[in-house]
Amino acid sequence: MSYDRAITVFSPDGHLFQVDYAQEAVKKGSTAVGVRGKNVVVLGVEKKIVAKLQEDRTVRKICSLDDNVFMAFAGLTADARIIVNRARVECQSHRLTVEDPATVEYITRYISSIKQRYTQSNGRRPFGISSLIVGFDFDGTPHLYQTDPSGTYHAWKANAIGRSAKTVREFLEKNYKEDMESDTDTIKLAIRALLEVVQSGGKNIELAIMKRDESMKMLAQEEIEEYVTAIETEKQKKT
Amino acid sequence: MALSSVLQSESADFSFNIDRSFSFGCGFGQTDLGFGAAPGDRLNFAIKASLGPDDKDGPERKIEFLHGTTTLAFKFQHGVIVAVDSRATAGAYIASQTVKKVIEINPYLLGTMAGGAADCSFWERLLARQCRVYELRNKERISVAAASKLLANMVYQYKGMGLSMGTMVCGWDKRGPGLYYVDSEGNRVCGDLFAVGSGSMYAYGVVDSGLRQDLSVEEACELGRRAIYQATYRDAYSGGQVNLYHVHSEGWTRVSQEDVLKLHHQYQEPKK
């Protein structure tokens, strides 16, 4: 008896198979890494190899949701587009009704509740994305949250999703230091973590940072190359 | 946020008298008014009066209105002072001298009452419910701006249907003292001083001449008290007692409740 047809049916051992399969779809997506520093939050994604004739700019995996929050995802890009759209509208609705920018936790909770709703409705399938949502609340606290297709969310200091997420997470666990004061250290950690799994170095990394009270900044290719070179030099020094 | 979504599931059923044709199509089936709303339900929470052309004695069948009132609130360096009278009139008849016109929404938010008593108290209690839900969901107190916005949005859904409410939402939040005037027309205004009601002009005169930002708490209380007293002296529709509240960073405190006659002796005595 297959329990994986309908999303609204539990299996005898307590699984929602569709949600599990959605998580498998996430594991096939390109890697994304998030690190929360003291004064800066960083998101890095593995850039997919783009065909020769394809325009590079249309494949953006890091999206800003508001002035103070942005996110990256792993999994089905089309599903992510829907979530991002709804989240952007909700950020503005929050500003309208509460006259304050939404906190990172609020928008994460909103996204998670959309995802959860789709695990409990008839005729729909879950969203096949996990997302990393970062930003600053208007009182200055930085946050990093991860959501997954089941609709749960957790706060993290540093995390990775997508292909080889486990390897990257282990690397982060080994190398994350509490109270990383320097912004450069936080950025370097994110790049080093991505370099573990990305082939051919800095060319295939896309990085976005946000410092407190500033808007999101996508790093240019040259800046990323600078960091990569610095990292290589440090590695050489150690060995 | 329509009433239906606010009151989902655990609420009583509120249905309008549906055989009345409202001008903008608020008929059966168009507003989702909760479970089991059926035509002919006789629970009316709006004034049936002013909407049908065949109602000759419409305006007479009024709910007790508190337009005859004086309520005021002003900000100063130590927070917000809220002062109100306590008289309710129905035409020339004094219905009550002991009405509570300040509604305690929660330990750090106050709302004043002017207009329809039922409208004010109902919507502000609903606001209290929304504020509590906000607090539980977001793990922090709601700001005065957000609370007044929730109230204004709730009431705007019923614009033109005969609600009568002019309230001031007062509190203290992260941004400091907060004071908003919200009414059933859809106005929502932030300000440092408001007086609402038939006696408001007299109250404005007193507060405008005495208000400084650097008042002490006692001076500010006395200013509010004096303003309401002067309004009750000249306005026939205001009187009873002066209820005084002070909103500060820890929440609100009920400062005093004094009978207007006693205040009259207190103020007039030194003149003799």
Side-chain angles (χ1 to χ4, degrees), chain A residues 36-153:
Chain A
R36 181 192 85 195
K38 231 175 163 207
N39 304 308
V40 71
V41 287
V42 182
L43 276 183
V45 295
E46 174 194 359
K47 253 203 300 213
K48 261 179 26 185
I49 323 276
V50 155
K52 252 208 229 164
L53 293 174
Q54 191 175 53
E55 292 261 16
D56 191 68
R57 278 174 286 116
T58 50
V59 197
R60 272 282 128 86
K61 285 195 56 171
I62 302 179
C63 327
S64 77
L65 301 179
D66 200 353
D67 293 334
N68 60 327
V69 188
F70 61 112
M71 67 173 260
F73 59 89
L76 277 56
T77 318
D79 286 4
R81 212 173 49 229
I82 304 294
I83 294 272
V84 167
N85 274 339
R86 299 240 191 113
R88 283 173 173 163
V89 173
E90 182 60 24
C91 281
Q92 297 310 309
S93 289
H94 186 277
R95 277 185 189 254
L96 175 62
T97 45
V98 183
E99 292 192 348
D100 265 330
T103 57
V104 187
E105 201 260 335
Y106 177 87
I107 198 64
T108 310
R109 209 173 345 123
Y110 177 75
I111 291 175
S112 306
S113 63
I114 298 179
K115 287 186 176 176
Q116 190 280 336
R117 221 175 301 143
Y118 277 67
T119 68
Q120 223 178 358
S121 323
N122 237 329
R124 305 182 193 184
R125 60 161 178 83
F127 284 93
I129 63 161
S130 280
S131 55
L132 289 174
I133 302 160
V134 294
F136 287 90
D137 291 347
F138 59 86
D139 65 356
T141 345
H143 291 285
L144 162 64
Y145 285 96
Q146 183 225 355
T147 66
D148 61 24
S150 63
T152 55
Y153 69 92

Side-chain angles (χ1 to χ4, degrees), chain A residues 180-198:
Chain A
M180 268 185 294
E181 283 279 353
S182 141
D183 296 347
T184 339
D185 283 341
T186 321
I187 299 171
K188 276 209 203 126
L189 178 62
I191 297 182
R192 275 159 62 207
L194 266 179
L195 284 172
E196 293 280 308
V197 291
V198 156

